[in-house]
Amino acid sequence: MSENKENVPKIRFPGFTDAWEQRKLGELYAERNEPGYDSLQILSVSIHHGISNEELDSNTLGKKVRRSEDKSLYKHVYFGDLVLNMMRAWQGAIGVVKSEGMVSPAYITAIPSAELYPLFMDYCLRRDEEIIQMNNLSYGVTDFRKRLYWDSFINILCCIPSETEQERITAFFTQLDNYIILHQRKLNNVKNLKAGLLQKMFPKDGEGFPEVRFPGFTDAWEQRKLGKVAERIVRKNKNLESTLPLTISSLYGLVDQITYFNKRVASKDVSNYYLVKRGEFAYNKSYSDGFPWGSIKRLDRYEMGVLSTLYIVFALNEGIVNSDYLVSYYDTDNWHKEVAVRAAEGARNHGLLNISADDFFDTELKFPKDLAEQAQIGEFFKVLDSLITLHQRKLEHLQEQKKALMQQMFV
């Protein structure tokens, strides 16, 4: 058994005892510069997903990347080759080729040595410890000019075990990745189901009946101004009943600032903030990608909290509109037009829509006349939301589990 405890991982498969060997990447890879040809598939390397045959987009690199029509300089790569984007390696744009193709001439391509089980390096080199080295060895005046050149790449250090152990570790993480992908698909399927039903279970603009409806309900839906079914809340936190500062996340609803921002952004003195109680709604006039007219969410997670007076807070008359129904209604985009026509022209100042409280309460919303139908709709989407949350938590648990194992099963 090896005496070198520094190069031994904390968690290991039975039967492996030798210390891992520290090597420079220049000892494990040789540069490949072989021209490609038109019939080869084009591969890309992204920050989050490594090698793929998909076009890179703004979510992947922060800008739209267009592939050149001229493929004469593209590089031929084979299974097991290492590819890195020299401009983005410091962010993790590196990966191992899983099927033959060609890549941009802006990429560095390298042939693995016989000591490597190539796919092992897809995990090894995408760990934080390796990315930090790539960052430190990249050169450039600013982040967007940083480059990792071959002469620097070959000096990056990594520890590797025997090829047999490399293969065993790779098989384990490949299986875990497949499990993560399965849960991501389940989550996406439920989200897509919800999105489709939100389109069908609420009447379209100008219509009084939804496309899909629960049995037994046939009446046309009503349309009323929000101000007729809700009351604005302007209660201040004068007695400091709560010191929990809230914010509205378009994805997660009303959440405490520390959880969402990892820091407190509210003032130390929150006595002049609105005091919001469980079951009350708040409108965040801030717009973001996918939420062009802000977000309206109900406080569900806490008994009470405080919100900046930039928000519009209201309580619902539940004798007219079911609260769970309204949560679902504001998950649709049916209310967007009502806000859009009332927001002042060109009024997107500092990320906020310029819509007054009076104008907001003048917006009209649609709902079934029968409270029982409202309740069924609300309960149906509540169950879907619970299923989404369940899949989301399972996915996050698996991702955290993988992150922890990556720390403990590598050196």
Side-chain angles (χ1 to χ4, degrees):
M1 183 172 179
S2 172
E3 295 299 320
N4 187 352
K5 299 297 183 184
E6 290 185 3
N7 285 346
V8 174
K10 292 179 181 178
I11 296 177
R12 208 165 189 186
F13 290 107
F16 299 104
T17 57
D18 290 341
W20 290 27
E21 188 178 352
Q22 188 179 71
R23 305 291 295 276
K24 288 186 175 182
L25 292 186
E27 299 170 338
L28 300 173
Y29 287 98
E31 192 170 12
R32 185 194 292 280
N33 282 304
E34 183 181 326
Y37 47 87
D38 284 344
S39 62
L40 290 170
Q41 66 174 330
I42 298 175
L43 305 175
S44 299
V45 58
S46 74
I47 293 167
H48 302 295
H49 306 295
I51 300 288
S52 75
N53 59 1
E54 296 177 0
E55 185 119 9
L56 300 183
D57 58 22
S58 56
N59 292 326
T60 307
L61 283 182
K63 61 180 181 179
K64 184 68 179 175
V65 177
R66 297 188 180 277
R67 289 171 173 160
S68 169
E69 293 297 321
D70 179 12
K71 304 296 187 298
S72 62
L73 297 177
Y74 272 55
K75 298 179 180 180
H76 192 169
V77 289
Y78 299 83
F79 175 87
D81 282 359
L82 185 71
V83 179
L84 65 96
N85 181 340
M86 61 190 297
M87 295 180 287
R88 298 290 179 183
W90 60 277
Q91 291 177 301
I94 186 169
V96 173
V97 176
K98 297 175 180 65
S99 60
E100 186 180 2
M102 61 179 174
V103 297
S104 164
Y107 293 165
I108 288 175
T109 55
I111 308 165
S113 76
E115 300 172 68
L116 295 178
Y117 182 72
L119 296 179
F120 170 80
M121 301 303 283
D122 212 21
Y123 293 103
C124 181
L125 294 180
R126 288 170 61 79
R127 295 179 305 126
D128 289 345
E129 294 84 349
E130 301 300 323
I131 302 302
I132 289 168
Q133 287 189 70
M134 293 180 203
N135 183 40
N136 292 338
L137 290 170
S138 296
Y139 296 95
V141 179
T142 64
D143 283 350
F144 286 102
R145 293 184 179 275
K146 288 171 84 168
R147 305 284 189 275
L148 179 66
Y149 296 99
W150 176 258
D151 289 348
S152 299
F153 168 81
I154 60 176
N155 291 315
I156 291 170
L157 297 171
C158 72
C159 288
I160 60 168
S162 67
E163 187 178 358
T164 306
E165 189 173 1
Q166 292 176 43
E167 187 172 357
R168 188 76 181 273
I169 292 168
T170 303
F172 173 79
F173 280 104
T174 300
Q175 187 175 17
L176 183 55
D177 278 343
N178 289 337
Y179 198 42
I180 288 171
I181 290 167
L182 176 65
H183 279 277
Q184 182 68 67
R185 284 176 182 161
K186 286 181 178 179
L187 175 62
N188 291 343
N189 287 342
V190 181
K191 284 183 174 180
N192 290 338
L193 174 64
K194 179 185 175 183
L197 289 170
L198 284 172
Q199 292 288 326
K200 294 176 181 292
M201 293 180 68
F202 293 83
K204 292 179 172 59
D205 188 34
E207 297 180 5
F209 300 88
E211 188 178 333
V212 174
R213 204 165 189 183
F214 288 107
F217 301 106
T218 56
D219 290 341
W221 285 30
E222 288 191 30
Q223 184 164 311
R224 292 201 205 177
K225 293 185 185 298
L226 177 61
K228 298 295 183 182
V229 298
E231 178 185 2
R232 187 180 181 192
I233 300 294
V234 290
R235 151 196 335 115
K236 295 293 183 70
N237 189 38
K238 293 294 184 186
N239 298 322
L240 295 178
E241 289 182 60
S242 175
T243 56
L244 180 69
L246 302 173
T247 190
I248 294 183
S249 159
S250 295
L251 292 175
Y252 302 110
L254 274 158
V255 294
D256 75 271
Q257 289 183 358
I258 295 171
T259 298
Y260 189 67
F261 294 117
N262 289 320
K263 63 178 181 179
R264 180 190 177 104
V265 296
S267 305
K268 287 184 178 179
D269 179 9
V270 292
S271 61
N272 210 37
Y273 278 44
Y274 289 141
L275 178 65
V276 188
K277 298 185 177 181
R278 186 192 293 272
E280 293 175 347
F281 290 77
Y283 174 42
N284 178 7
K285 296 186 282 184
S286 297
Y287 55 90
S288 58
D289 287 344
F291 302 92
W293 303 105
S295 302
I296 302 168
K297 301 293 180 181
R298 183 178 67 185
L299 181 59
D300 292 325
R301 294 170 182 254
Y302 323 101
E303 283 302 319
M304 62 180 70
V306 295
L307 268 178
S308 162
T309 52
L310 290 172
Y311 294 86
I312 298 173
V313 182
F314 61 94
L316 193 59
N317 182 343
E318 294 194 55
I320 303 174
V321 178
N322 176 275
S323 183
D324 288 338
Y325 166 81
L326 199 66
V327 170
S328 301
Y329 176 81
Y330 281 126
D331 276 345
T332 73
D333 58 8
N334 293 14
W335 58 276
H336 289 183
K337 183 178 177 182
E338 289 294 308
V339 170
V341 297
R342 289 165 177 80
E345 262 189 49
R348 290 178 177 263
N349 190 22
H350 302 295
L352 290 175
L353 296 164
N354 188 9
I355 180 168
S356 68
D358 286 344
D359 284 337
F360 176 69
F361 283 101
D362 191 54
T363 60
E364 295 188 337
L365 58 94
K366 289 180 181 177
F367 52 88
K369 291 180 181 178
D370 195 327
L371 276 167
E373 185 177 7
Q374 295 180 34
Q376 281 197 38
I377 293 169
E379 180 62 25
F380 177 78
F381 283 105
K382 197 173 181 180
V383 170
L384 271 185
D385 284 337
S386 296
L387 192 55
I388 288 170
T389 300
L390 181 67
H391 284 307
Q392 185 72 53
R393 285 177 180 165
K394 179 66 173 176
L395 179 63
E396 288 170 359
H397 174 71
L398 287 169
Q399 290 167 336
E400 287 300 314
Q401 205 170 41
K402 177 185 174 182
K403 186 177 179 181
L405 288 168
M406 289 284 287
Q407 290 289 326
Q408 297 179 77
M409 292 180 69
F410 287 82
V411 175

